[in-house]
Amino acid sequence: HVQLVESGGGSVQAGESLRLSCTASEFTDSTKCMGWFRRTPGKSREGVAAIDADGITAYGDAVNGRFTISKDSTNNTLYLQMNSLKPEDTAMYYCATGLGGLLPDLYHAWGQGTQVTVS
């Protein structure tokens, strides 16, 4: 059972950048498709970015053009580069592995989350 640990969250000013990392206990067939999601209080989990086994990426409309997802198989780490951050990007960010795409229901393993606050 893969374990995921996020890091890199923090508090920044609008317009600044952050890079989130998600380290997996292992990269196997179960981690071929991975994604980043976020949740704010009172809202459902939102798909931010996803990457499949072939490196094909998908992004939510709210972050397209500002965020970049990438994966480094040499160190079992998933990244989310977040540029031009806006206050509305404030949320708890989670990484997950599953079937792929931006629908949270398609993912079966989740990290504990890392908080991003933009003011």
Side-chain angles (χ1 to χ4, degrees):
H1 180 69
V2 65
Q3 295 184 338
L4 305 172
V5 179
E6 302 96 333
S7 61
S11 297
V12 297
Q13 298 291 316
E16 294 183 342
S17 299
L18 276 176
R19 188 177 78 159
L20 305 183
S21 299
C22 171
T23 301
S25 55
E26 57 183 353
F27 268 12
T28 65
D29 287 347
S30 68
T31 54
K32 284 183 177 180
C33 297
M34 301 189 73
W36 286 99
F37 298 82
R38 66 187 183 187
R39 175 182 277 169
T40 54
K43 294 186 177 181
S44 59
R45 200 166 289 185
E46 173 190 8
V48 175
I51 186 167
D52 71 9
D54 295 321
I56 297 173
T57 58
Y59 295 94
D61 290 342
V63 307
N64 196 21
R66 299 187 296 122
F67 291 10
T68 302
I69 188 172
S70 61
K71 186 166 63 172
D72 186 346
S73 298
T74 63
N75 60 11
N76 294 352
T77 302
L78 180 74
Y79 299 100
L80 184 68
Q81 178 66 44
M82 305 186 296
N83 297 330
S84 303
L85 282 161
K86 304 175 180 180
E88 50 264 45
D89 294 319
T90 295
M92 183 71 77
Y93 283 72
Y94 301 86
C95 69
T97 184
L99 297 177
L102 295 174
L103 296 177
D105 288 349
L106 296 178
Y107 288 75
H108 60 268
W110 295 81
Q112 82 291 347
T114 186
Q115 178 68 37
V116 172
T117 302
V118 185
S119 59

